[in-house]
Amino acid sequence: MSDVTIVHTKSELEKAIEHCDKTVLIRSRALAADVKTIKSASSGAFALAIGSVGVFATNFWNPLGWGSGIIGTLSTGTLITAIVAIGLSTTLIFAVYNDYSIKGRSSIKLAGGNSIDADLVMERD
């Protein structure tokens, strides 16, 4: 567990979350936007989005299952797009949603006195 981790890609973000890093600086606008979308969702929308992705994925062969997945997808489309774009496992998506607070674009002062700009700052609660 490190104090400050700088990430540019979703694989780096995944490693930072798995290691329970305290502060994660995201330096990619697209990745920051997807994390912000996930974090700002209401718990009901978040549950519906995860459920819709699951229903659609497990019932892709069944036209009746498509209806359930499509209805959920239409109502939570932006959130599902962010979840798919980040491409993290459900466990890590829940960690982003539950275990971290976020701050928008900011500058963080490092231990050596240097500062670094980030598109999004995630801090473990």
Side-chain angles (χ1 to χ4, degrees), residues 34-90:
D34 291 336
V35 169
K36 190 174 182 180
T37 298
I38 289 170
K39 241 349 236 181
S40 64
S42 68
S43 58
F46 185 73
L48 180 59
I50 295 291
S52 296
V53 170
V55 166
F56 202 71
T58 59
N59 291 301
F60 68 92
W61 55 270
N62 181 354
L64 295 176
W66 296 349
S68 303
I70 289 171
I71 289 168
T73 301
L74 292 174
S75 58
T76 59
T78 305
L79 181 56
I80 290 174
T81 302
I83 290 170
V84 171
I86 288 181
L88 300 177
S89 69
T90 305

Side-chain angles (χ1 to χ4, degrees), residues 4 12 18 23 26 29 34 38-39 57 64 80 82 99 113 117:
V4 177
E12 292 172 343
E18 286 174 350
T23 303
I26 299 175
R29 282 194 177 143
D34 291 336
I38 289 170
K39 241 349 236 181
L64 295 176
I80 290 174
D99 298 341
D117 293 329

